[in-house]
Amino acid sequence: MELIERFLTNNPCYQANLARADSRYVRFQTEGPKGLMLHSVGCAQPKAEVFCRRWDRADYDNGCVHALIDAETGAVWQTLPWSFRGWHCGGKANDTHLGVELCESAAIRYEGGARFTVLDRQSALADCARTYQAAVELFAFLCRRYGLDPRTSICSHKEAGRAGLASGHVDPEHYWSGLGAPYTMDGFRADVAKALAALPPADGPLYRIQVGAFRNRAYAEDFLRQVQTHFPEAFLKTEAM
Ligand SMILES: [Zn+2]
């Protein structure tokens, strides 16, 4: 899996996380994600970098996801630290879920809403397969990292919308079915579970770096904010002593 770190530091969502704007950000940053949501971009733009450029602006308050998967290369462009609360689904699941977008092939043309025409099926299917495979690897990595069960912790935007936890979009299933691609969310969950099982066991020593310890929680949170301006993945851990 090729991972390119390209945090959208100018996006107001990133800034709200830095400022720990309210308790939802604090909770997400403290407890980490409880689930993973799969999206697709809903336009014929295969290049992740185009979205990164468009969204990395102070006046772009339409959304911010954790990663985009490029349809031409399969590379994962990480746009938010995994520990940040994203703005990806327009509902309550933003409080609990990471959001990852599949970029869609340039070999389709949208006709309005979620309907599109396939211009070149072979190349569209190849682009789609590239993002699917990379998403399987990424979701397995994230399940391992956060101790999540792929069978119960992964949903699509469409599924979350049906459950009342997100806006009523239909991605990414509309993209797969519109292409006639052989993918479903149940299949995706099963593929992630398979990839997770195939990951090498996490053994050997773990090297942590501690940069401060406080008795006063407010001091600790204040210091964490300073550390996060350089290392957004930094987090606060409470230990009973
Ligand atoms: Zn979506």
Side-chain angles (χ1 to χ4, degrees), residues 206-210 235 237:
L206 187 65
Y207 302 99
R208 281 190 201 282
I209 300 165
Q210 182 180 331
F235 61 92
K237 196 170 155 210

Side-chain angles (χ1 to χ4, degrees), residues 39 88 157 169 171:
H39 300 259
H88 57 89
H157 191 163
H169 288 199
D171 57 297

Side-chain angles (χ1 to χ4, degrees), residues 182-202:
Y183 309 130
T184 62
M185 281 310 293
D186 282 339
F188 182 72
R189 283 181 278 268
D191 286 341
V192 174
K194 226 181 290 167
L196 178 62
L199 285 180

Side-chain angles (χ1 to χ4, degrees), residues 16-79:
N17 274 279
L18 272 192
R20 293 158 79 86
D22 61 46
S23 60
R24 296 169 303 169
Y25 297 91
V26 176
R27 199 174 319 121
F28 200 101
Q29 291 180 21
T30 310
E31 296 175 13
K34 305 276 194 289
L36 311 173
M37 192 182 297
L38 190 63
H39 300 259
S40 69
V41 291
C43 59
Q45 177 51 263
K47 293 182 194 300
E49 194 186 359
V50 171
F51 295 98
C52 292
R53 254 186 280 124
R54 202 178 291 160
W55 295 355
D56 193 14
R57 299 162 50 122
D59 60 358
Y60 188 84
D61 57 4
N62 260 349
C64 196
V65 298
H66 293 86
L68 291 136
I69 300 179
D70 191 287
E72 292 177 345
T73 64
V76 176
W77 290 61
Q78 186 185 355
T79 41

Side-chain angles (χ1 to χ4, degrees), residues 37-184:
M37 192 182 297
L38 190 63
H39 300 259
S40 69
V41 291
C43 59
Q45 177 51 263
K47 293 182 194 300
E49 194 186 359
V50 171
F51 295 98
C52 292
R53 254 186 280 124
R54 202 178 291 160
W55 295 355
D56 193 14
R57 299 162 50 122
D59 60 358
Y60 188 84
D61 57 4
N62 260 349
C64 196
V65 298
H66 293 86
L68 291 136
I69 300 179
D70 191 287
E72 292 177 345
T73 64
V76 176
W77 290 61
Q78 186 185 355
T79 41
L80 279 179
W82 307 124
S83 59
F84 276 16
R85 176 180 181 272
W87 296 351
H88 57 89
C89 73
K92 269 197 81 57
N94 279 335
D95 296 342
T96 49
H97 283 60
L98 295 184
V100 175
E101 295 273 3
L102 310 177
C103 292
E104 298 184 19
S105 178
I108 62 175
R109 188 181 59 227
Y110 271 88
E111 309 290 358
R115 280 179 306 112
F116 59 82
T117 304
V118 182
L119 307 174
D120 175 345
R121 185 154 189 267
Q122 205 179 341
S123 113
L125 281 174
D127 288 344
C128 181
R130 215 172 278 125
T131 56
Y132 182 90
Q133 290 309 334
V136 167
E137 282 180 48
L138 173 64
F139 277 49
F141 159 80
L142 291 168
C143 283
R144 160 67 65 80
R145 178 161 176 163
Y146 291 105
L148 301 172
D149 179 347
R151 292 175 195 283
T152 53
S153 307
I154 294 174
C155 65
S156 66
H157 191 163
K158 180 180 179 181
E159 290 172 329
R162 295 263 157 96
L165 300 170
S167 56
H169 288 199
V170 290
D171 57 297
E173 289 96 320
H174 81 287
Y175 177 51
W176 295 338
S177 61
L179 285 178
Y183 309 130
T184 62

